[in-house]
Amino acid sequence: MIPTSPTKAAPAPESLALLDTLIAEERLIRNAWAGKDAKGRETACLLAALAPETALETDAGACPATVMPAWLAHLTPWMDDSGSLAAWPAMVRRYAALARRWHVLSPAQWYRLDYVARAIAVRAAMDATTNESVLAVCRQTAALCDRRGGGEAVTDQEFKEAAEAAAEAAAEAAAEAAAAAEAAAAAWRAAAWRAAAAWRAAAAAGRAASAGRAAADRITDSILGAIERECAISEAAS
């Protein structure tokens, strides 16, 4: 069911300012929640800067829904840690700019974006295999995500059937190639999981692809682009 609550997600102004400061002073970190740099200054990762609770509990699930939806909170550490070092500085600046804009998004828009992100991740995973049965399941799952991401009513039963087909394909593909199994697993996660689905599917896609960091860069770019487009739509309408 698409959310109808009027509540919107928006990081606190002080958190946005902290993120900008961490980036400017090169105190934003990867592969850890928080810490101190060589000068003894406090450091934090991308998610912890916006939601300090996540560093205290070392859990993306601790991020308040008032900051961002759960699926993006789970996806953010993966975005922070998995891409290339070359792309990381521009990515975090882009993310920080986007965090200042996403207060315009409605719960319904975030809900649709969850499924847009799942479709992106599953299609990325398809690059890892030529196994036709796995590709067919991925296409089916991505199409379901596209439909729900486009605002169309898609039943949970359809997703359940896609998840069952993906699980079966993963079991069969495992005997042939790990990449095929990973691609099917990405489809299964996208069909069967909810809040953390995009993160789990994207992680599987990144592991499966031959160039994992390059794949992560592409997935992150596509997902941030989708959120930016939704923000632009809302900004133009206001």
Side-chain angles (χ1 to χ4, degrees), residues 73-92:
H74 282 280
L75 180 57
T76 294
W78 182 86
M79 288 179 166
D80 199 12
D81 298 341
S82 299
S84 66
L85 283 173
W88 184 73
M91 187 279 288
V92 295

Side-chain angles (χ1 to χ4, degrees), residues 38-60:
K39 298 178 181 179
R41 300 178 301 175
E42 299 290 334
T43 60
C45 70
L46 188 55
L47 182 61
L50 295 177
E53 303 93 332
T54 62
L56 292 173
E57 299 190 27
T58 62
D59 181 8

Side-chain angles (χ1 to χ4, degrees), residues 165-189:
E168 183 177 338
E172 294 176 358
E176 297 181 22
E182 286 282 12
W188 184 88
R189 290 174 178 122

Side-chain angles (χ1 to χ4, degrees), residues 47 60-61 63-77 110 114 194-197 199:
L47 182 61
C63 180
T66 51
V67 175
M68 68 183 78
W71 69 264
L72 183 58
H74 282 280
L75 180 57
T76 294
W110 279 121
D114 179 3
R194 292 190 179 276
W199 166 66

